[in-house]
Amino acid sequence: MSDDEEQLALLPSDPPRWGGPAAVAADPIRTQGRTEYAVRCDGCGGLHRHIAPGVRTAPCGTTYTVPGADDDGAGDGPQLDG
């Protein structure tokens, strides 16, 4: 783990506020038993899926903050029966 990654791990839940990587728009995806997050990457333009919010590094190497579902007031996504 690099020094930068060690420092990012110590940041509170709102990394951009404290100088961490910028938050990106994330769409919560409710799967069987958990919420995942789809993110349009500013680095490569691809769509990446993450299993948890927080500071993440995409497969392309871009580092950003994935906001939690509750961070934008959206809740935990739609709850579907069936």
Side-chain angles (χ1 to χ4, degrees):
M1 187 181 290
S2 73
D3 289 336
D4 289 339
E5 290 172 340
E6 289 174 9
Q7 290 296 318
L8 289 175
L10 299 174
L11 289 172
S13 62
D14 186 13
R17 181 175 176 196
W18 305 101
V24 293
D27 294 320
I29 302 169
R30 185 75 181 149
T31 63
Q32 185 72 28
R34 70 179 179 197
T35 301
E36 298 182 358
Y37 303 88
V39 172
R40 177 68 61 185
C41 181
D42 291 336
C44 71
L47 192 61
H48 303 300
R49 187 169 80 182
H50 298 280
I51 60 171
V55 176
R56 299 287 174 248
T57 301
C60 67
T62 302
T63 300
Y64 45 74
T65 300
V66 177
D70 291 333
D71 292 350
D72 61 359
D76 198 27
Q79 300 295 317
L80 303 175
D81 294 331

